[in-house]
């Protein structure tokens, strides 16, 4: 499986590191932080990459902003709860919508169900998730000027697509 991810700035990684003491009780704490914009079940990398390049041709860079911490008590997949950084970005939502129009949505995760976020940890106690979500953070803003096509099988970025500024 592939996904199109929005790289996040180092300030987000530092924030996640600062939050680690609140996350230590969870089953899995993420050490890599990205914002998944769209998942693909395609298996042909070259065809997917070219189709993405054509779909994203002329897509402008856009702004994104981490604004707080929240959690999914009942995520559609995987262990619960999922603690995450909230992301506000009309640009990401429009970008996601364009990709869903072209490639379709994965039920329960995309389309109207899509919530832009950066996962911090998952699995554990809901009370711990509430405790983490009650922490206040300073907003972090950045410009998204490229996206990464991530290969879930090899757990690495397979291609980067630039967005014009």
């Amino acid at each position: 499986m592939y996904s199109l991810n929005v790289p996040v700035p180092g300030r987000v990684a530092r924030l996640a590191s600062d939050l680690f003491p609140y996350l230590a009780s969870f089953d899995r704490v993420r050490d890599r932080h990205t914002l998944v914009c769209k998942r693909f079940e395609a298996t042909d990398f070259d065809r997917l990459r070219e189709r993405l390049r054509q779909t994203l041709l002329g897509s402008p860079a856009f702004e994104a902003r981490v604004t707080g911490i929240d959690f999914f008590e009942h995520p559609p997949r995987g262990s619960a709860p999922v603690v995450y950084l909230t992301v506000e970005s009309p640009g990401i939502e429009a970008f996601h919508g364009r990709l869903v129009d072209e490639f379709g949505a994965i039920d329960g995760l995309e389309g109207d169900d899509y919530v832009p976020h950066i996962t911090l940890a998952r699995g554990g106690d809901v009370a711990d998730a509430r405790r983490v979500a009650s922490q206040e953070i300073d907003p972090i803003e950045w410009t998204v000027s490229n996206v990464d096509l991530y290969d879930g099988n090899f757990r690495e970025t397979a291609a980067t697509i630039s967005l014009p500024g």
Side-chain angles (χ1 to χ4, degrees):
M1 177 179 262
Y2 295 98
S3 62
L4 195 65
N5 297 346
V6 172
V8 297
R11 294 171 289 164
V12 171
R14 285 191 296 280
L15 171 60
S17 179
D18 291 346
L19 291 170
F20 182 79
Y22 299 100
L23 303 171
S25 65
F26 290 86
D27 296 339
R28 290 185 10 219
V29 178
R30 288 276 172 93
D31 58 353
R32 282 197 254 175
H33 300 94
T34 61
L35 191 167
V36 176
C37 190
K38 175 77 181 92
R39 290 170 178 81
F40 305 96
E41 294 177 352
T43 56
D44 185 331
F45 170 76
D46 291 327
R47 184 172 293 150
L48 175 61
R49 181 184 58 203
E50 283 313 305
R51 190 169 167 202
L52 274 169
R53 287 186 196 279
Q54 292 302 314
T55 300
L56 300 179
L57 197 64
S59 292
F62 52 85
E63 301 302 311
R65 184 175 192 214
V66 168
T67 58
I69 305 169
D70 204 348
F71 65 97
F72 299 120
E73 189 168 350
H74 304 288
R77 295 185 181 176
S79 58
V82 174
V83 178
Y84 62 88
L85 296 172
T86 58
V87 177
E88 293 179 6
S89 173
I92 287 175
E93 292 187 29
F95 195 75
H96 173 77
R98 185 173 177 187
L99 291 165
V100 165
D101 287 346
E102 177 67 25
F103 294 93
I106 295 177
D107 288 338
L109 293 174
E110 299 177 340
D112 292 340
D113 296 318
Y114 178 67
V115 176
H117 69 280
I118 300 165
T119 300
L120 296 172
R122 68 182 314 142
D125 192 288
V126 172
D128 289 336
R130 282 192 184 98
R131 207 171 1 270
V132 177
S134 71
Q135 301 303 308
E136 297 214 8
I137 64 167
D138 292 328
I140 300 173
E141 297 180 27
W142 77 100
T143 300
V144 176
S145 57
N146 60 62
V147 290
D148 294 331
L149 184 55
Y150 182 79
D151 184 330
N153 291 329
F154 291 104
R155 297 179 167 258
E156 67 183 16
T157 297
T160 298
I161 300 170
S162 295
L163 305 174

